[in-house]
Every structure is written in C-alpha cells, then in structure tokens.
Amino acid sequence: MYNYLDFEKPVADLEGKILELKKLAEGGESVDVADEIARLEKRSRDALRDLYKALTPWQKVQVARHPDRPHCLEYVRGLFTDFTPLAGDRTFGEDQALIGGFARFRGEPVAILGQEKGSDTASRLKHNFGSARPEGYRKAVRIMELADRFGIPVISLVDTAGAYPGVGAEERGQAEAIARSTSTGLGLKVPSISIIIGEGGSGGAIAIAIGNRVYMLEHAIYSVISPEGAASILWRDTTRSKDAATNMKITAQDLLNLKIIDAVIPEPLGGAHRGPEAVISATGDLIARTMKEFGEGNVDFREQRREKYLAMGRNL
C-alpha cells in the first residue's frame, strides 16, 4: 500500500478493496474473486489517470513532497558507479543535507551534488530534511572547483524546501555561502546539468541548480519561495497556499513554457514514488543524451550558461 495524498482518496478506497479481496483469495476461500479484482484494478487505474492528467499546482506541490518519492541517494545508487563522497567544507564542518563527491556515469567521470531529504525519521533528522547550512554550500563550492580544475562535468540533483534558516546558519554566513555557490556554478568552464527531482525551493535550490541544462521531473516544483511562505507574505494567511501555488507558476509545465527549464522528465502514472526505477532510468537516459550533445563540437560552456540566464525574461 502507498501513502495516499488527500486528493487520492478515491484511488485509496479502490486499492484498499483490491487488497482485501487478494487476502481473501490467499486465505483459501472458495469464492472466485479474480474477475472482481481485475474490474477494480481497471477502475483504480482509470481513476488515477483521471486525477493525474488534471492536477492543480497545489496538488503537484503535494506530489513533489510525497514522503515515498525517490530522493538524491536513490538516484546516486541507481545511476552512478564508484561514488566517492567528500565531506566537509575545510572551514567549519560537514553538512549531511548536501551530498557531494565524484563518481562514474556510464564509464565517464562526473562530479555529483545533491540535497538528500531522508526517507525515515532517523535519516530525515540526519540530513536535516534536505535543508543545507552554509558548510553544505561551501562544500559544493569545493567540489565544483575541483571538477573545474580537472575538467569533470557537474551533475546536480535538487530537492530542498530551502536553505536552513536557523540562527547558527545565519551567523556562519548563509547568504554569502549561497551567493558564492551560485557564482561558482555560473563560472564553471566544464558542462553542468541540473535536475529538480522534487522541490526546488528558493536560493537553497538555485545555489546548485545553475546548469547549462536544467531539467525537472513532471511533478516537481521550482520556486523562489514556498507557497506557504508566499501566502504568509502576500495575504498574511497561510490557508491561501493554493492560490499562491497557482499564481507563482511553479510547475514543470509552467516553467518549460517560460523557458526557465529545458525539458520535463515524465513520471510514471501516479508519481515517481509509484515507479522509482522507471523515473531514475529515464533521468539517466536524458543525462546521457545531454552529455553526448556536450561532447559534440567546441563549446564555451561558461559563455553558453551566461547567455542562457541573461536571455530569461527577454520575450515575456
């Protein structure tokens, strides 16, 4: 059974009945329930398809935050080999919210950056729910500079509600660390690919999301502030988060139309958590195609990146 979101209740009811019938059949009951199971499974698929083909922006926010959604480390395990994590910023300490290191992608060396939210209580606390502190972004700078020095492409997996806003983080220069990480990403001479796999929240996301190509999963979100934060500022009413999500244009489809991102990676019906292997494989295939494009011709990646971001908003 999945963790169902509020708007998925019709599907939850149907799949609950299917599970009951399957247990009845396994218990050796003489009643033949195969036809009824097949009928309910079709109804469940149809209901799920109807829901997901017309998701509202707020519903997409909920899907992007789904607790069972595959996170950074699952992509690292599924796409890369010989992963060697690096720890610490050589200034203050280690930050478990931001994963970084070097690995091989289909035989080629790459640098990896990503925010890890965790999958259970212990790992979420360990990784601070994916919200990095200044030392995490300084670690990202260290890894990007190493990759640049040795001509290694950078791949970032973005999934954070935002940088950690605690007093200690501010005292250690959170804003400066984010700005330096963003600047370093813009100045890389090597190619970079950024993929928003869940939430891309505020400067905490953009600090590692500056890429020559920026991709988003179909039900991911990418925004300057969370819908709750925007509603609190604009209307002083967090219950208007749905209105904020709609007006902020934070979905992958909106951002593709606005030319903020370069492509959308399709998710399995019902979201990435219903088929993590499929979505991780699709992400890997897109990375491979992009890396092949990068290898064709003599490209100034820093200049290409500069033109990409300067062009945003020109024709709006």
Side-chain angles (χ1 to χ4, degrees), residues 61-272:
V61 171
Q62 294 176 273
V63 178
R65 294 172 176 173
H66 197 287
D68 297 334
R69 195 174 179 84
H71 296 131
C72 172
L73 287 175
E74 291 172 75
Y75 283 83
V76 171
R77 287 190 290 266
L79 295 178
F80 305 100
T81 57
D82 301 326
F83 177 56
T84 303
L86 298 185
D89 64 345
R90 300 299 186 263
T91 302
F92 180 82
E94 164 64 344
D95 185 354
Q96 296 276 6
L98 200 144
I99 305 299
F102 292 87
R104 290 189 179 275
F105 174 72
R106 302 187 181 182
E108 298 298 321
V110 294
I112 302 170
L113 297 171
Q115 286 124 345
E116 172 61 36
K117 284 186 170 181
S119 55
D120 54 30
T121 301
S123 62
R124 285 168 189 151
L125 291 171
K126 175 183 175 181
H127 296 290
N128 200 36
F129 299 87
S131 293
R133 296 174 170 88
E135 44 272 24
Y137 295 109
R138 293 187 176 117
K139 176 171 68 174
V141 169
R142 185 164 75 89
I143 292 169
M144 284 190 279
E145 288 178 344
L146 273 173
D148 210 29
R149 187 179 306 165
F150 292 101
I152 298 173
V154 176
I155 297 172
S156 58
L157 301 166
V158 181
D159 189 14
T160 182
Y164 184 63
V167 173
E170 298 297 337
E171 289 175 343
R172 295 195 299 277
Q174 184 73 289
E176 183 274 341
I178 289 172
R180 188 175 295 275
S181 181
T182 306
S183 175
T184 302
L186 284 168
L188 290 174
K189 296 187 291 293
V190 295
S192 55
I193 303 170
S194 300
I195 303 149
I196 292 91
I197 59 176
E199 282 188 275
S202 191
I206 204 168
I208 64 167
I210 298 293
N212 294 91
R213 297 285 190 279
V214 180
Y215 303 129
M216 284 180 72
L217 266 61
E218 182 180 358
H219 303 308
I221 58 171
Y222 193 20
S223 62
V224 70
I225 191 172
S226 69
E228 295 88 345
S232 177
I233 292 170
L234 294 174
W235 299 296
R236 299 185 185 278
D237 183 2
T238 56
T239 62
R240 296 192 63 180
S241 301
K242 296 179 182 179
D243 296 331
T246 301
N247 289 293
M248 287 166 64
K249 306 297 182 185
I250 62 177
T251 69
Q253 295 73 25
D254 285 333
L255 294 170
L256 183 64
N257 290 336
L258 293 170
K259 299 182 180 178
I260 302 297
I261 64 170
D262 299 290
V264 176
I265 302 170
E267 296 187 27
L269 180 63

Side-chain angles (χ1 to χ4, degrees), residues 5-16 43-44 47-48 51:
L5 300 169
D6 291 343
F7 67 87
E8 294 178 320
K9 189 178 184 306
V11 177
D13 292 342
L14 288 168
E15 293 189 351
R43 282 183 59 192
S44 175
L48 194 64
L51 281 173

Side-chain angles (χ1 to χ4, degrees), residues 17-91:
K17 291 176 183 176
I18 292 168
L19 190 62
E20 289 176 7
L21 289 174
K22 285 183 176 179
K23 286 182 178 178
L24 188 68
E26 289 171 1
E29 298 289 339
S30 59
V31 180
D32 185 4
V33 294
D35 290 343
E36 181 64 12
I37 289 174
R39 187 181 69 82
L40 288 174
E41 285 178 339
K42 182 180 183 305
R43 282 183 59 192
S44 175
R45 285 193 302 271
D46 291 344
L48 194 64
R49 186 176 295 107
D50 290 342
L51 281 173
Y52 273 78
K53 73 181 180 183
L55 289 181
T56 66
W58 178 245
Q59 288 170 338
K60 281 184 176 285
V61 171
Q62 294 176 273
V63 178
R65 294 172 176 173
H66 197 287
D68 297 334
R69 195 174 179 84
H71 296 131
C72 172
L73 287 175
E74 291 172 75
Y75 283 83
V76 171
R77 287 190 290 266
L79 295 178
F80 305 100
T81 57
D82 301 326
F83 177 56
T84 303
L86 298 185
D89 64 345
R90 300 299 186 263
T91 302

